[in-house]
Amino acid sequence: MSEHEIVIRGGEVADGTGAPRRRADVGVTGDRISGVGTGLTGDTVVDAGGLLVTPGFVDLHSHADFTLEASPYATTQLHQGVTTLLTGNCGFSPFPVGENGSRHRLPLSDDPLSWDWDDAAGFRRAVERAGPAVNVGLQVGHGTIRHAVLGGADRAPTPGELARMQGMVAAAAAAGALGLSSGLIYAPGLFGTSDEVTALVRTAAEHGMLYSTHVRNETDRVVEAVDEAVRTAERAGARLEVSHLKCMGRPNHGAVREALALLDRARERGVDVAADVYPYTASSTGLTSRLAPWAIDGGPAALLDRLADPDLRARIADALRARFAHDIDPGGVVLAELPDGPYSADVGRSLTELAERAGTGPAEVALDVIARHRAQVGIVNHAMAEEDVDTVLRHPMVSVASDGWVLEPSGPGVPHPRSFGTFARVLGRYVRERGVLSVEEAVRKMTSLPAGRLGLADRGVLRAGAAADVAVLDPATVTDRSTYTRPWQLSDGVHAVLVNGVPSLLDGALTGRAGGRVLGRA
């Protein structure tokens, strides 16, 4: 009888710690790694000769909670070697639900959720019923909590309302949520003051949760916004993750260096802070996030009412025009996803292109698209510098994260390629082609570093007793194929993926077996 159920034989092991690669076999029995060494025997052998064996990749920043129920096999992730997703980011989560049944949804044209739950425990059961092929960690969103208590209103909570909001954080923690997130550029989260956010983060910290934040500004005030995040975590005694650290707008490029220095100084003071980044120079979000806060006060319905008023519409256009002149190039704002309507055929076109066709300005076109598509307009925004991406990616406390979705291999629109290619792109472009990172450091940034931020001590490493989340890939060929114009393409070069010991990808093909779990705090 063999000593292991599965042996991944003859590969070069990058164990996730950053240690030099070494030739070794990896044994798996049940859901655990049962040995790392030479000459291991197994009932099933996966030939890894000439290949790289790593821990499964951990994506700290996913929005898969809004798509995983409909696409539980996570095809786009398995083909990158991803085995764990942290969801509930940017202040958005599918729970909790307001007392009147109102739900806080992401600004998407497609919402495949069944919405048959009211709280974190119910959503956890829904994910478990779906039988995901990857592990899922949950976070609760500040914006969703605020919506459940205050709706879309731009006002401070009363003491009683704040206590209810804190209770919702505690309830999510009791259901196993790993973190609390905020998205301080998105309504209604942007209406929350630093004191309000700090109160919720303090509750999260009391329950051992991570605080991850899409900071309040990613353009001309990014350093100030990162400082706010640090001060919030420091006052609350929380672990902090600055999500997708970047600086948008040509006049602001380079400010990431000051933001990283601020994080370094905070760590020297004892603040447990880190960040993550995706390897692209374009972001993706809803077009309404580019509007003035007063315009989106009250939510999408209130915005649409304002756009129907000529005087208010003119004021909204003036504010957007000023922002375009200051730090957003409308030529880089590209329609990506939107429901059926008059602009459905224009996905892939920028606001500048549409304005030239219409003989009007980009601000006027933007508001027309928003109005005609009921404020459900996804965009890709080309606004960052490659040098900034390199700078952030090199920092030792920065993880790789996608800010993406679990998607099917084909679909409508032209979504951001990060859902399909983030992790393969780092290994192909930033390691093999450009040498920004070593193989070992890139693997660490995709495994033990993000797992450590979540307190998942048994994931992100290849050692006996650790969870058997394993990826096997070809370092000479691994690459992303998804592009901004042709995004619906899976990554290449990943040969095998095991999730909790279950082979979900073998010989580069899906097996149909799912071993994912909903993860909780240790």
Side-chain angles (χ1 to χ4, degrees):
M1 181 177 177
S2 301
E3 55 184 334
H4 308 278
E5 292 176 359
I6 300 172
V7 166
I8 302 168
R9 178 173 294 162
E12 200 167 46
V13 172
D15 67 6
T17 67
R21 288 167 282 170
R22 61 190 176 101
R23 185 68 56 85
D25 304 332
V26 176
V28 173
T29 301
D31 64 355
R32 297 281 136 180
I33 294 172
S34 46
V36 180
T38 57
L40 304 187
T41 60
D43 299 328
T44 299
V45 174
V46 176
D47 182 7
L51 303 177
L52 182 68
V53 183
T54 75
F57 301 144
V58 178
D59 188 350
L60 267 182
H61 194 101
S62 172
H63 293 285
D65 38 358
F66 287 87
T67 53
L68 188 63
E69 190 183 21
S71 303
Y73 208 69
T75 302
T76 45
Q77 280 61 40
L78 290 176
H79 277 274
Q80 298 179 67
V82 175
T83 58
T84 298
L85 305 173
L86 181 66
T87 62
N89 283 289
C90 293
F92 294 94
S93 59
F95 57 86
V97 176
E99 290 181 356
N100 62 357
S102 63
R103 301 180 185 272
H104 188 217
R105 301 168 185 255
L106 277 169
L108 298 174
S109 57
D110 182 32
D111 182 355
L113 292 176
S114 65
W115 293 101
D116 59 352
W117 59 82
D118 295 322
D119 55 16
F123 180 69
R124 178 179 184 132
R125 289 191 294 270
V127 174
E128 290 171 339
R129 285 196 304 270
V134 295
N135 302 310
V136 181
L138 306 181
Q139 294 185 107
V140 63
H142 160 249
T144 301
I145 288 173
R146 200 174 208 281
H147 184 272
V149 176
L150 301 176
D154 179 5
R155 68 172 177 85
T158 66
E161 289 168 335
L162 184 61
R164 284 178 57 202
M165 294 165 73
Q166 291 172 303
M168 290 176 174
V169 175
L178 297 172
L180 165 71
S181 77
S182 66
L184 301 180
I185 72 163
Y186 299 115
L190 67 87
F191 303 134
T193 65
S194 292
D195 286 344
E196 172 188 312
V197 175
T198 299
L200 300 189
V201 173
R202 184 174 292 115
T203 300
E206 290 169 354
H207 291 83
M209 301 166 80
L210 178 72
Y211 172 49
S212 58
T213 180
H214 180 148
V215 296
R216 203 177 290 273
N217 183 288
E218 294 180 320
T219 55
D220 60 333
R221 293 166 51 211
V222 64
V223 175
E224 177 183 333
V226 171
D227 183 59
E228 177 192 9
V230 169
R231 286 186 286 106
T232 296
E234 198 163 14
R235 291 165 61 195
R239 292 176 292 125
L240 171 64
E241 183 73 16
V242 177
S243 298
H244 44 60
L245 181 59
K246 59 181 175 288
C247 196
M248 302 176 66
R250 188 180 299 275
N252 310 309
H253 292 166
V256 294
R257 291 189 292 273
E258 188 176 350
L260 288 168
L262 190 155
L263 298 183
D264 288 337
R265 292 192 296 272
R267 290 185 65 82
E268 291 170 0
R269 296 197 306 273
V271 184
D272 186 351
V273 57
D276 53 68
V277 67
Y278 47 77
Y280 297 91
T281 56
S283 64
S284 184
T285 187
L287 183 55
T288 57
S289 69
R290 296 336 190 205
L291 302 181
W294 66 266
I296 52 180
D297 179 10
L303 168 63
L304 294 173
D305 286 343
R306 292 183 185 106
L307 291 177
D309 181 309
D311 291 337
L312 290 176
R313 187 176 184 129
R315 284 183 58 201
I316 296 170
D318 286 343
L320 184 57
R321 203 175 295 112
R323 190 162 189 199
F324 285 161
H326 180 56
D327 58 19
I328 295 178
D329 176 8
V333 179
V334 176
L335 300 187
E337 300 173 85
L338 63 172
D340 288 341
Y343 288 94
S344 297
D346 292 315
V347 291
R349 291 190 171 93
S350 73
L351 294 181
T352 297
E353 290 178 278
L354 296 175
E356 290 172 350
R357 184 183 71 187
T360 186
E364 288 75 14
V365 164
L367 298 187
D368 194 49
V369 175
I370 290 170
R372 291 174 178 268
H373 290 269
R374 309 298 298 171
Q376 298 180 54
V377 183
I379 61 170
V380 168
N381 195 169
H382 298 267
M384 287 98 82
E386 184 79 87
E387 183 179 352
D388 281 359
V389 175
D390 292 352
T391 297
V392 178
L393 187 59
R394 285 191 182 104
H395 192 280
M397 290 306 298
V398 171
S399 300
V400 173
S402 74
D403 197 9
W405 313 83
V406 164
L407 298 173
E408 293 300 308
S410 62
V414 284
H416 197 295
R418 62 194 181 190
S419 297
F420 304 85
T422 289
F423 293 83
R425 182 176 177 83
V426 168
L427 293 168
R429 177 173 173 78
Y430 290 84
V431 173
R432 186 179 63 242
E433 296 176 7
R434 298 186 56 233
V436 174
L437 299 173
S438 68
V439 169
E440 293 88 348
E441 180 65 355
V443 170
R444 185 185 73 87
K445 287 172 170 288
M446 299 191 287
T447 56
S448 68
L449 179 57
R453 299 305 298 154
L454 298 175
L456 301 176
D458 65 340
R459 297 186 192 269
V461 291
L462 294 181
R463 65 163 182 258
D469 295 343
V470 187
V472 181
L473 56 95
D474 187 344
T477 64
V478 63
T479 191
D480 61 313
R481 298 173 58 237
S482 178
T483 67
Y484 293 112
T485 56
R486 297 185 61 221
W488 298 94
Q489 301 184 81
L490 298 173
S491 293
D492 278 342
V494 176
H495 287 239
V497 178
L498 279 66
V499 183
N500 296 306
V502 176
S504 292
L505 189 82
L506 288 174
D507 297 322
L510 302 175
T511 67
R513 300 177 63 190
R517 298 172 182 171
V518 180
L519 303 178
R521 296 186 314 285

Short mmCIF file of all heavy atoms in Angstrom, two decimals, residues 74 84 99 131 136 139 157 173 176 180 193 264 266 295 340 348 362 366 399 433 457-458 466-467 477 489 522:
data_model
loop_
_atom_site.label_atom_id
_atom_site.label_comp_id
_atom_site.label_asym_id
_atom_site.label_seq_id
_atom_site.Cartn_x
_atom_site.Cartn_y
_atom_site.Cartn_z
N ALA A 74 -16.08 27.88 -10.66
CA ALA A 74 -14.98 28.84 -10.66
C ALA A 74 -13.94 28.54 -11.73
O ALA A 74 -12.74 28.54 -11.49
CB ALA A 74 -14.32 28.88 -9.27
N THR A 84 -8.50 29.84 -3.26
CA THR A 84 -9.22 30.51 -2.17
C THR A 84 -9.54 31.94 -2.56
O THR A 84 -8.69 32.66 -3.09
CB THR A 84 -8.37 30.52 -0.88
OG1 THR A 84 -8.13 29.16 -0.46
CG2 THR A 84 -9.09 31.26 0.25
N GLU A 99 -34.57 45.78 7.16
CA GLU A 99 -35.81 45.29 7.76
C GLU A 99 -36.96 45.26 6.76
O GLU A 99 -37.86 44.44 6.88
CB GLU A 99 -36.18 46.15 8.97
CG GLU A 99 -35.24 45.97 10.16
CD GLU A 99 -35.65 46.81 11.35
OE1 GLU A 99 -36.61 47.60 11.21
OE2 GLU A 99 -35.02 46.68 12.41
N GLY A 131 -21.92 24.23 -3.59
CA GLY A 131 -20.80 23.31 -3.77
C GLY A 131 -19.66 23.90 -4.56
O GLY A 131 -19.30 23.39 -5.63
N VAL A 136 -13.94 29.68 -0.03
CA VAL A 136 -14.52 31.02 0.00
C VAL A 136 -14.46 31.55 1.43
O VAL A 136 -14.91 30.89 2.37
CB VAL A 136 -15.98 31.00 -0.48
CG1 VAL A 136 -16.58 32.41 -0.45
CG2 VAL A 136 -16.08 30.40 -1.88
N GLN A 139 -16.62 38.35 3.91
CA GLN A 139 -16.55 39.61 4.63
C GLN A 139 -17.92 40.27 4.58
O GLN A 139 -18.71 40.00 3.67
CB GLN A 139 -15.52 40.57 4.01
CG GLN A 139 -14.09 40.11 4.11
CD GLN A 139 -13.13 41.17 3.59
OE1 GLN A 139 -12.44 41.83 4.35
NE2 GLN A 139 -13.10 41.34 2.29
N PRO A 157 -25.61 58.16 11.39
CA PRO A 157 -26.55 57.33 12.16
C PRO A 157 -26.75 57.90 13.56
O PRO A 157 -25.85 58.53 14.13
CB PRO A 157 -25.84 55.98 12.22
CG PRO A 157 -24.39 56.30 12.11
CD PRO A 157 -24.31 57.49 11.20
N ALA A 173 -19.55 38.17 12.19
CA ALA A 173 -18.42 37.47 12.79
C ALA A 173 -18.86 36.13 13.38
O ALA A 173 -18.17 35.11 13.22
CB ALA A 173 -17.79 38.34 13.87
N GLY A 176 -18.96 33.44 10.99
CA GLY A 176 -17.69 33.02 10.41
C GLY A 176 -17.05 33.99 9.47
O GLY A 176 -16.03 33.66 8.86
N LEU A 180 -14.35 42.79 7.73
CA LEU A 180 -15.25 43.90 7.43
C LEU A 180 -14.58 44.73 6.35
O LEU A 180 -13.39 45.03 6.45
CB LEU A 180 -15.48 44.76 8.67
CG LEU A 180 -16.11 46.15 8.46
CD1 LEU A 180 -17.58 46.02 8.09
CD2 LEU A 180 -15.94 47.02 9.70
N THR A 193 -18.69 58.84 8.00
CA THR A 193 -17.54 59.59 8.48
C THR A 193 -16.47 58.63 9.00
O THR A 193 -16.72 57.44 9.22
CB THR A 193 -17.95 60.53 9.62
OG1 THR A 193 -18.38 59.73 10.73
CG2 THR A 193 -19.07 61.46 9.19
N ASP A 264 4.69 51.97 5.57
CA ASP A 264 5.91 51.51 6.25
C ASP A 264 6.05 52.18 7.62
O ASP A 264 6.40 51.52 8.62
CB ASP A 264 7.14 51.81 5.40
CG ASP A 264 7.26 50.92 4.18
OD1 ASP A 264 6.67 49.81 4.20
OD2 ASP A 264 7.93 51.33 3.21
N ALA A 266 3.68 53.33 9.47
CA ALA A 266 2.65 52.78 10.35
C ALA A 266 3.08 51.42 10.91
O ALA A 266 2.88 51.13 12.10
CB ALA A 266 1.33 52.65 9.60
N ALA A 295 -25.08 63.91 -5.98
CA ALA A 295 -25.90 63.42 -7.08
C ALA A 295 -26.42 62.01 -6.82
O ALA A 295 -27.49 61.63 -7.33
CB ALA A 295 -25.11 63.44 -8.38
N ASP A 340 -29.57 45.64 -21.54
CA ASP A 340 -30.07 45.97 -22.87
C ASP A 340 -30.60 47.41 -22.90
O ASP A 340 -31.27 47.87 -21.97
CB ASP A 340 -31.18 45.01 -23.28
CG ASP A 340 -30.65 43.62 -23.59
OD1 ASP A 340 -29.43 43.50 -23.85
OD2 ASP A 340 -31.44 42.66 -23.57
N GLY A 348 -17.06 48.57 -25.14
CA GLY A 348 -15.75 48.66 -25.75
C GLY A 348 -15.42 50.03 -26.28
O GLY A 348 -14.27 50.28 -26.67
N PRO A 362 -18.31 64.54 -23.40
CA PRO A 362 -18.26 63.27 -22.67
C PRO A 362 -19.15 63.26 -21.43
O PRO A 362 -19.74 62.23 -21.10
CB PRO A 362 -16.79 63.14 -22.30
CG PRO A 362 -16.05 63.94 -23.31
CD PRO A 362 -16.96 65.10 -23.61
N ALA A 366 -22.06 60.56 -20.79
CA ALA A 366 -22.04 59.72 -19.59
C ALA A 366 -23.39 59.73 -18.90
O ALA A 366 -23.91 58.68 -18.50
CB ALA A 366 -20.94 60.20 -18.64
N SER A 399 0.28 41.97 -1.44
CA SER A 399 -0.18 40.72 -2.06
C SER A 399 -0.72 40.99 -3.45
O SER A 399 -1.06 42.13 -3.80
CB SER A 399 -1.30 40.10 -1.21
OG SER A 399 -0.88 39.79 0.09
N GLU A 433 8.76 37.59 -18.16
CA GLU A 433 9.07 38.51 -19.24
C GLU A 433 9.82 39.75 -18.78
O GLU A 433 10.76 40.20 -19.44
CB GLU A 433 7.78 38.93 -19.96
CG GLU A 433 7.07 37.76 -20.65
CD GLU A 433 5.75 38.18 -21.26
OE1 GLU A 433 5.44 39.40 -21.26
OE2 GLU A 433 5.00 37.30 -21.71
N ALA A 457 -3.39 29.94 8.86
CA ALA A 457 -2.03 29.43 9.02
C ALA A 457 -1.78 28.13 8.28
O ALA A 457 -0.63 27.80 7.98
CB ALA A 457 -1.74 29.23 10.52
N ASP A 458 -2.85 27.38 7.95
CA ASP A 458 -2.66 26.09 7.28
C ASP A 458 -2.88 26.18 5.78
O ASP A 458 -2.96 25.15 5.11
CB ASP A 458 -3.59 25.05 7.89
CG ASP A 458 -5.07 25.35 7.65
OD1 ASP A 458 -5.39 26.53 7.36
OD2 ASP A 458 -5.90 24.42 7.76
N ALA A 466 -0.43 20.87 6.30
CA ALA A 466 -1.17 22.01 5.75
C ALA A 466 -2.30 21.52 4.87
O ALA A 466 -2.32 20.37 4.41
CB ALA A 466 -0.24 22.91 4.97
N ALA A 467 -3.26 22.39 4.63
CA ALA A 467 -4.37 22.06 3.73
C ALA A 467 -3.83 21.76 2.34
O ALA A 467 -2.93 22.44 1.85
CB ALA A 467 -5.36 23.21 3.68
N THR A 477 5.49 28.70 -19.72
CA THR A 477 4.37 29.00 -20.61
C THR A 477 3.19 29.66 -19.93
O THR A 477 2.29 30.16 -20.62
CB THR A 477 3.86 27.71 -21.30
OG1 THR A 477 3.35 26.81 -20.30
CG2 THR A 477 4.98 27.03 -22.08
N GLN A 489 -11.26 34.90 -22.34
CA GLN A 489 -10.27 33.88 -22.66
C GLN A 489 -9.61 33.41 -21.36
O GLN A 489 -9.14 34.23 -20.57
CB GLN A 489 -9.20 34.42 -23.61
CG GLN A 489 -9.75 34.93 -24.93
CD GLN A 489 -8.64 35.37 -25.87
OE1 GLN A 489 -8.02 34.55 -26.54
NE2 GLN A 489 -8.37 36.65 -25.89
N ALA A 522 -9.92 30.74 12.56
CA ALA A 522 -9.38 29.63 13.35
C ALA A 522 -9.73 29.82 14.82
O ALA A 522 -9.84 30.92 15.32
CB ALA A 522 -7.87 29.58 13.18
#
